[in-house]
Amino acid sequence: MAEDGRGEEKAVDVVAVKKPKQGGFRTMPFILANDFCDRLANVGFSSNLITYLTLQLHLPLVDASNTLTNFHGTANLTPLVGGLIADSFAGRFWTITFGSVIYQLGMVFLTLSAALPSLRPPPCAKHAADCQRASSSQIAVLYASLLFTSIGTGGTRPCVMAFGADQLELDAGARGRRGRKGPKWSFFNLYFFGIELAKLTAVTVIVYIQENVGWGWGLGVPTIAMFAAVIAFVSGYSMYVKMPPAGSPLVRLAQVAAAAFKKRKAVMPEPSRLYEDKVLDAGISTTGRLLHTDQLKFFDKAAIITDGDVLPSGEPKLWRLSTVHRVEELKSILRMLPIWAAGILLVTSASHNSSFAIQQARTMDRDITPHFKIPPASMLIFTNLAMLLTLAFYDRVLVRVLRRFTGHPNGITHLQRAGVGMTIAMLANAVAAVVESRRKSVAAASGMLDAPKGSSLPISVFWLVPQYAIHGVADAFMDVGRMEFLYDQAPESMRSTAAALYWLTMSIGSYLGTLLVTIIHAKTQRSGQWLQDNLNRAKLDSYYWLVFGLQGLNLIYYFVCVRYYTFKPLETVKPEEELELYPGNGNEDDVKKGGALK
């Protein structure tokens, strides 16, 4: 229920019609099956890509690490474009479908590059100091394959989550207003649970195939899984709620900014005299219009009616006049950005789990039985397991306990949940630094500081388990909390774009990881290289402590942003059992006074 700080409710009269047959939980197997196979394919090759780059293509560690983070950055940048396409004209269903097909092509090319000997350098002799590096043409084939998969993720990642939530949106609002945790938020937990289950399968089964059977099959299996993802998703076409695109959100935001700038010298009237048009906003405010706020008042000037703003037909000139709802769309996005930005460094701080930490594992004793070694990339299983268990515990136990103390239907707010995750993530890097110091001391004590490739230090790889597991616990709080925040606070017509902002965080964080590694590699050459191929003589623990300190500063910044954040004020509709709700006749009397959505 939408409430203000005094607990007052607001609602509008509605026209009730029978609930359509589309949507609901019955669509979840199709949507989540698509995402499960998508993530199985993605994680199946990206989680162990550092191994492929260093052992199959013979790239130096720093080059391989930067290639990996650049790939992650690009794959998480394209969702911004995909989200805009979905919200503007294509719709979420078709954006997901075409993105999945393009991703499939990328996986096929990647599999061929691993399976055909001509597309990779010859194997390196055992314990050889120098190996033939992949040629520029071989690297180009790899980059082209990664580019296709990156473009494909641009269609799937920003839309699958919002598309799934669309199927449950009405029921979520009704149940949430009856004082129980609505299925929309349970969907986000279920969504991330499915992601982690796919990751768990990938870092065990797929990585094992890559390490012990071959990279052709190791990439071929995820390729087949991606094909299954496309089939599963398209087969549910007739059952989906397919929200129509509402036009380019960027154009609307630009119109507001342009109109406000043109009227920058205009005198502000009372807020009640600012321009409203329910008919114009009907397609972008089906669950309620955004109400006027006092922040960022400059943009309110876009809603001032002046001479020449309206055509003879009565329609507004949108580059000169915007409604309050459209002005508040821009305000909502601008208010979200500082909190959104706090997630960037979190991605940077965890990026080493897919690069440096895996290389650490390769130097340690990985024997499980006399005939089986755990693959280094499979250490990610402990992150996945920790996140799966934490999500289940949070959803089934912790929410109910916290609800008794806070009265909040979700136990704690999504901003509080993200803050808890950020705090826990700091602990993960502190533990990583301590463990790396221990690993190097064992190497020194054993006289193995310059041990040849393939040699194992007399220290168990399971020393790395705590840092991986703590990252998983942190992600269960942090990732879900951030996504809930973006979905809830974004204007409804921009939810695919808001989901893309989540992935844009991943993109910028990955590129920042590349920049951080490059700067550290360059600045520490004279004083003792922090990051080098021989980790036993590197100072990776110093790198972890540096990231820990940056996280501390970022956490302070986040708390300041949360302290001054204003939740969007929303006109909501009063729910009825088993009914779908539409706005009423558009009379201003329909609206009861209320405050901000909390």
Side-chain angles (χ1 to χ4, degrees), residues 324-344:
V324 169
H325 175 83
R326 294 173 182 234
V327 171
E328 291 299 327
E329 280 189 325
L330 177 57
K331 288 185 181 181
S332 294
I333 294 297
L334 293 177
R335 284 195 296 260
M336 290 166 57
L337 289 181
I339 291 179
W340 163 81
I344 294 174

Side-chain angles (χ1 to χ4, degrees), residues 1 30 49 90 136 142 224 245 334 417 421 428 434 527 566:
M1 179 180 297
F30 299 93
L49 187 58
S136 57
L142 172 71
I224 296 172
L334 293 177
R417 182 172 183 171
V434 173
S527 58
T566 299

Side-chain angles (χ1 to χ4, degrees), residues 232-559:
F233 181 74
V234 174
S235 63
Y237 175 83
S238 62
M239 294 188 294
Y240 299 138
V241 171
K242 294 179 280 291
M243 301 290 288
S248 173
L250 286 187
V251 171
R252 291 200 304 277
L253 299 183
Q255 287 171 339
V256 173
F261 180 78
K262 290 175 182 177
K263 301 176 185 177
R264 59 190 180 278
K265 297 181 180 180
V267 178
M268 278 297 300
E270 293 294 323
S272 60
R273 298 183 61 186
L274 295 175
Y275 181 64
E276 299 269 13
D277 191 330
K278 289 188 175 183
V279 175
L280 179 64
D281 292 335
I284 58 175
S285 60
T286 57
T287 60
R289 293 178 303 160
L290 295 171
L291 304 179
H292 179 263
T293 61
D294 291 330
Q295 291 82 26
L296 302 170
K297 292 184 178 181
F298 170 79
F299 295 106
D300 289 338
K301 295 188 176 185
I304 299 175
I305 303 175
T306 61
D307 294 337
D309 287 350
V310 181
L311 296 170
S313 62
E315 296 180 357
K317 297 178 181 178
L318 295 179
W319 289 97
R320 290 185 54 87
L321 180 62
S322 297
T323 64
V324 169
H325 175 83
R326 294 173 182 234
V327 171
E328 291 299 327
E329 280 189 325
L330 177 57
K331 288 185 181 181
S332 294
I333 294 297
L334 293 177
R335 284 195 296 260
M336 290 166 57
L337 289 181
I339 291 179
W340 163 81
I344 294 174
L345 193 61
L346 298 176
V347 178
T348 301
S349 67
S351 62
H352 53 254
N353 278 345
S354 298
S355 55
F356 297 132
I358 290 178
Q359 294 303 93
Q360 287 175 268
R362 191 169 293 280
T363 69
M364 303 169 79
D365 181 10
R366 297 180 283 115
D367 291 335
I368 304 297
T369 70
H371 304 289
F372 178 75
K373 291 178 178 288
I374 183 172
S378 290
M379 292 301 294
L380 289 166
I381 188 176
F382 297 104
T383 297
N384 306 138
L385 281 174
M387 187 170 183
L388 284 170
L389 294 174
T390 304
L391 284 172
F393 178 76
Y394 184 91
D395 198 52
R396 298 293 92 190
V397 178
L398 192 58
V399 166
R400 299 176 184 178
V401 174
L402 292 174
R403 190 183 297 155
R404 297 175 184 175
F405 296 97
T406 64
H408 194 280
N410 297 313
I412 55 178
T413 68
H414 29 261
L415 290 178
Q416 290 170 336
R417 182 172 183 171
V420 171
M422 293 172 69
T423 305
I424 296 174
M426 286 185 62
L427 178 61
N429 280 298
V431 171
V434 173
V435 170
E436 173 60 7
S437 295
R438 170 64 179 168
R439 191 195 65 82
K440 289 200 304 179
S441 66
V442 169
S446 304
M448 299 181 67
L449 289 176
D450 297 304
K453 292 182 179 179
S455 301
S456 297
L457 300 178
I459 179 174
S460 174
V461 73
F462 292 107
W463 275 80
L464 298 176
V465 169
Q467 69 192 61
Y468 277 106
I470 295 172
H471 270 295
V473 175
D475 289 345
F477 284 89
M478 189 168 52
D479 286 351
V480 180
R482 286 192 297 136
M483 181 54 74
E484 286 180 349
F485 166 74
L486 291 172
Y487 184 91
D488 183 64
Q489 290 299 296
E492 66 174 270
S493 61
M494 301 179 65
R495 281 174 174 166
S496 293
T497 305
L501 285 176
Y502 174 88
W503 297 112
L504 183 61
T505 304
M506 302 288 190
S507 174
I508 299 176
S510 296
Y511 286 132
L512 184 59
T514 298
L515 179 62
L516 184 63
V517 167
T518 301
I519 292 174
I520 291 175
H521 186 65
K523 296 298 183 182
T524 60
Q525 286 182 347
R526 296 181 180 179
S527 58
Q529 195 67 264
W530 281 21
L531 306 173
Q532 54 180 287
D533 290 350
N534 183 1
L535 290 181
N536 296 336
R537 290 198 177 275
K539 297 181 180 180
L540 189 57
D541 49 341
S542 298
Y543 170 81
Y544 287 147
W545 282 122
L546 174 64
V547 172
F548 174 83
L550 293 175
Q551 283 181 294
L553 296 175
N554 188 61
L555 187 61
I556 296 173
Y557 163 79
Y558 176 79
F559 286 149

